[in-house]
Structures are given as structure tokens and as C-alpha cells.
Amino acid sequence: MKRTGMVTIAVVLGMLLLFESCSKSNKNVESEEDDSVTLKIANYAILESGYESFWKGVKNDFEEKYPDIKIEWVTAPYGDVVNQVINMAGGGEKIDAVYGEITWVPSLEDAGLAAPVTDILPANFLSDFYPDILKAFDINGKPYGIPLFISPYILYYNKNLFKQAGLDPNRPPKNYDEMLHYAEKLSKLKDPNGNQIYAFGQTTASVPVSGSSINGMVFNFGGTVLDEKGKLSIDNTGFKETFEMLQLLDKKGYNPQNAKLKDLRNLFALGRLAMYYDQSWGFNGVQSINPDAKDFTASAAPLKGGSGDGKSILQAHCLILVDNGKSHTDALSCFCQYLITAQCLGGFMSSIIPAYPAKKSMSNMDGIINSPILSGAASAATNVKNQTFIPQLNDLDLELCKLAQAVTVGNQNIDTAIDDFKKTVSVKLGN
């Protein structure tokens, strides 16, 4: 009890220091400019009905607390935000931050827009983030994004289908061999309309997020795609085993061909997919299709494959910060310290966009610990491997998708397909 009390006191004192620091920053904002500072924040989620209410509430509540700082949302569809921000900067209009995904960081840093968060946010605020998670945002030793919440690719599974197949719904597979044993039984099921039940879903469609998911699967097997310097590094057993597994899943008819994540979410929501890999927040898409999905959905850690220990790639929704001068960075620091708290994000993370916290002080939120959707894979949030950031990351992810399609739909020899992949990517990466 004494230790818990000390931790609680430390957290409270830390929060008081943060808000004191932010208050001082706000005074700096007021003293430097007569007018209020307006932060332009690019945020695609404003256009999505499930998230619009939350972000409008953030703006209203923050502006009430800090009346000298205004928030202006710069909106564009999810797939267009990065290009819009870069194009705006080319026209002389720089935004102050981008709300987006960790994979957007290298493009914005390469465009000269992203600033190291250590240049903008106070050290006592940053020290509350898990070091390995913050390190995932590193470019040349400095973090270029601050996570709101995180997720690896976790395993979602349908408890009802497990029961129908004679499997224990409280004992999900722990490795790929167990998964194949389960899949053999699950693949024999039909839905009430006689449609096929797919046993295991891994997205392979030609979109960057699918390539990122495949990269996570490589990590499951203990393999690598890039080395720490951003050079291609695929001459390892884990890389080859990943594509052998994808080919096997395809030959057995377990995995829907060329499926996007939204396709897998749809099949899972309709009870036609027994297991699949997704980011934790993917459940929001499942539930929007079938509100009753919460009754049959459970999660588990990524599977262990080969000599790997089931590590996955870290996914995160984050703020990518831009340095537009002291008055703006002071105001931006206040906004980050206000937003990334249990008070502001707790309900959002547990009920709107299921996710795991990036900060130590948020680790014991009831909505996470007691979530039937999130709790099963909670250990996976810290069993991640950092992806090396390179400007060509999206191109690399798309090439991983092409390789997956070559050995599945194309039924190509794996060694030949990997060799072709290596030649193509080596040219694109210049190594």
C-alpha cells in the first residue's frame, strides 16, 4: 500500500509540475503577442463520424482552459493528409502539428516539417513515456513524434467459432504451429448461410498498411527487413519463413486473398473469419459493422514463429510537431500535455478507439485493464520491435505486399520471388 501511495503521489506531483510548466508557457504566449495564438493541426479524424465528437470536445475544452490558444483543424481524408500538409508548406503555409500514424513520420521529417519532440516538449513530460516506445520514433537518435496511444498487430479471434470447432475459447494459439492446428478445425465450419469460414486473416492487399502488417509478421518469426542503418536486410530465416507461412495459408484456403484490413474486419464482424491480425483500434471498424461483435471478440498476443518470440511492429497514433517559432511551440507544448492524459484520452481509448497507453502514468486505467477486447493482448504492447525509418518506407511496404501476392495468388517459387523482391527494392533504396 505504501508503494502504491508513493507512486500515486509521484504521478500527481508530476502532473502538477507539467501544468505549472504549461501555465508558464501560456504566459510566454500572452506576453509575446497581443492576439491569441492559433495552432493549425492537421487531423483527418474530424471528417470521420465516429471520432468527430471527441475531437470537437478536445478543442472546446482546451480553449476554455487556455483562452489565449485557439485550435484550427486542417482537414483532409486519411490518405491525403500528408500530401496536403507538404503542399501547404510548399505554398508558405505551415501547420503546427499533424495527428496521424507513426509511419507518416519519415515522410514529414524528410520534407523538413517534423521537429524533434525534445525541442518542444519538457523533459519531465517526456520521461513519463515508455523509453522503448518513444525510441520507436527516432531518426538519427532523436524522436520525431509523440504517441497518444499504441498497438502492435494483435490477434483477434471469435470465441463462438472456437466453441463450434471444439476449441477452448479461453486458450488462443500461442505460436504458428498451434494456429495451423486450430485452423484445420475452424476451416471446416460454415456460417448459417452455408458460406465458407476463413480460419486466419493476414492482410496482403497493395496498400502501405498491409506491408507494415507483413513486416510485423516477419518480426513474429524473428526476422528483419531493414537493418538499423536503413539498409535492406532480408537474408535471414525469419523473413523467408514468413512468406512460406503466407503461401501455406493461401494453399489451404485459410486466408482471404489480397484482403485489405477493412475486408478482414468485415468478414470477422459477420462471423466468417475466425482469427486475424489487426491493430487494436481495428475493432472499432468491426463493431461499426456488427455492434454485437463485442460479445464474441477476444484478443491474444501475436504468434511466435520459427526462432522468434512473437514480437510485432509498433503502431501508434501520434502528433508530429512542427517548429513555427517560440510562441507556437509553447502553445503546442501546452496542447500535448493537455491531450495525452488519462483524463482526456481514457474514455476514447477504452470505448471509441481501443488502444494501449504509451505513458507509465496511464498504465492502470480501468478501461484498459478490464477491457474484454484489449486485456488478452496487453502483454504484446511492450513486446515490439522498432521499425527503422527511411523516407521510402511506403514504397518498401508496397513491395512487401507484391512479394506476398507473388507467393500466394501468383504461386511463385519463394526463393525466386524473394530474389526478385531483393533486386527491385535494392534499386529503390539505393543499396
Side-chain angles (χ1 to χ4, degrees):
M1 291 295 293
K2 289 183 179 180
R3 184 177 180 186
T4 303
M6 290 175 65
V7 171
T8 303
I9 291 171
V11 169
V12 171
L13 289 175
M15 292 301 296
L16 288 174
L17 288 171
L18 290 178
F19 282 114
E20 180 183 359
S21 171
C22 195
S23 296
K24 290 178 180 178
S25 295
N26 198 30
K27 290 177 182 178
N28 289 337
V29 170
E30 295 172 20
S31 64
E32 289 182 11
E33 295 186 4
D34 294 332
D35 298 328
S36 62
V37 171
T38 297
L39 293 175
K40 293 184 177 182
I41 301 177
N43 188 345
Y44 71 90
I46 295 296
L47 300 179
E48 300 185 1
S49 59
Y51 310 133
E52 179 184 11
S53 177
F54 169 78
W55 287 108
K56 283 186 174 179
V58 166
K59 170 181 163 64
N60 293 337
D61 294 346
F62 177 77
E63 290 179 347
E64 182 177 350
K65 186 174 182 65
Y66 298 100
D68 293 297
I69 306 174
K70 305 301 179 185
I71 303 296
E72 178 185 331
W73 300 124
V74 177
T75 61
Y78 170 85
D80 300 331
V81 172
V82 173
N83 285 337
Q84 174 164 321
V85 168
I86 292 173
N87 290 337
M88 286 175 62
E93 184 181 5
K94 291 173 67 176
I95 48 79
D96 294 286
V98 181
Y99 168 69
E101 298 189 5
I102 189 172
T103 52
W104 299 4
V105 171
S107 295
L108 289 168
E109 190 276 337
D110 188 56
L113 293 175
V117 299
T118 48
D119 291 353
I120 296 175
L121 302 175
N124 57 352
F125 175 67
L126 293 173
S127 66
D128 192 23
F129 288 81
Y130 292 105
D132 286 345
I133 290 173
L134 203 57
K135 194 175 187 305
F137 289 83
D138 274 11
I139 298 177
N140 297 325
K142 293 183 178 181
Y144 279 78
I146 192 73
L148 278 65
F149 38 79
I150 62 169
S151 174
Y153 279 92
I154 62 176
L155 183 70
Y156 278 126
Y157 67 96
N158 185 314
K159 295 183 291 185
N160 290 347
L161 292 179
F162 269 47
K163 291 178 184 177
Q164 291 176 35
L167 300 169
D168 186 344
N170 297 314
R171 295 187 62 184
K174 295 181 179 180
N175 55 57
Y176 280 91
D177 288 338
E178 286 185 4
M179 180 274 290
L180 291 172
H181 175 69
Y182 284 29
E184 183 179 1
K185 296 182 178 182
L186 290 162
S187 65
K188 296 176 182 177
L189 301 177
K190 301 288 184 182
D191 76 356
N193 297 317
N195 295 313
Q196 175 185 2
I197 300 293
Y198 292 100
F200 184 88
Q202 166 62 58
T203 177
T204 58
S206 294
V207 289
V209 69
S210 295
S212 180
S213 182
I214 294 168
N215 196 336
M217 195 173 177
V218 172
F219 290 167
N220 296 168
F221 281 90
T224 59
V225 180
L226 297 173
D227 64 18
E228 293 181 356
K229 296 182 178 179
K231 303 295 184 181
L232 192 64
S233 177
I234 63 170
D235 294 328
N236 55 84
T237 303
F239 186 86
K240 183 176 180 179
E241 287 176 334
T242 299
F243 292 92
E244 289 175 337
M245 179 56 65
L246 286 172
Q247 190 173 70
L248 178 62
L249 291 169
D250 184 74
K251 286 182 177 179
K252 288 183 173 292
Y254 294 164
N255 187 23
Q257 288 187 334
N258 283 0
K260 295 181 179 180
L261 275 174
K262 67 177 183 179
D263 300 323
L264 297 179
R265 291 166 187 165
N266 183 65
L267 287 168
F268 188 81
L270 299 177
R272 292 193 55 203
L273 178 61
M275 300 177 279
Y276 86 110
Y277 275 148
D278 199 351
Q279 302 139 323
S280 63
W281 42 79
F283 181 72
N284 190 47
V286 171
Q287 190 165 234
S288 68
I289 299 167
N290 181 3
D292 294 330
K294 63 182 183 298
D295 298 327
F296 62 72
T297 301
S299 64
L303 303 170
K304 298 178 181 179
S307 61
D309 59 1
K311 278 187 169 58
S312 185
I313 193 169
L314 180 71
Q315 297 290 293
H317 282 206
C318 61
L319 285 174
I320 303 161
L321 312 182
V322 181
D323 187 347
N324 285 329
K326 182 168 174 51
S327 62
H328 280 251
T329 57
D330 283 346
L332 190 55
S333 177
C334 286
F335 180 72
C336 292
Q337 293 178 67
Y338 170 83
L339 176 62
I340 311 175
T341 59
Q343 293 84 351
C344 192
L345 291 176
F348 186 70
M349 291 169 58
S350 61
S351 59
I352 298 176
I353 185 167
Y356 301 98
K359 292 172 64 179
K360 290 169 279 189
S361 63
M362 296 171 64
S363 62
N364 292 321
M365 293 189 298
D366 288 341
I368 307 299
I369 295 174
N370 299 319
S371 168
I373 303 301
L374 292 175
S375 58
S379 63
T382 53
N383 189 30
V384 294
K385 183 173 180 178
N386 295 338
Q387 183 180 39
T388 305
F389 281 152
I390 57 172
Q392 309 94 328
L393 190 58
N394 279 353
D395 291 337
L396 175 62
D397 285 338
L398 290 173
E399 291 299 329
L400 285 170
C401 297
K402 290 180 182 178
L403 175 55
Q405 292 165 20
V407 302
T408 55
V409 180
N411 197 30
Q412 289 186 20
N413 174 272
I414 287 180
D415 288 328
T416 301
I418 289 178
D419 189 53
D420 290 342
F421 168 85
K422 186 174 183 178
K423 291 175 183 176
T424 300
V425 174
S426 293
V427 172
K428 289 189 175 185
L429 300 187
N431 56 48

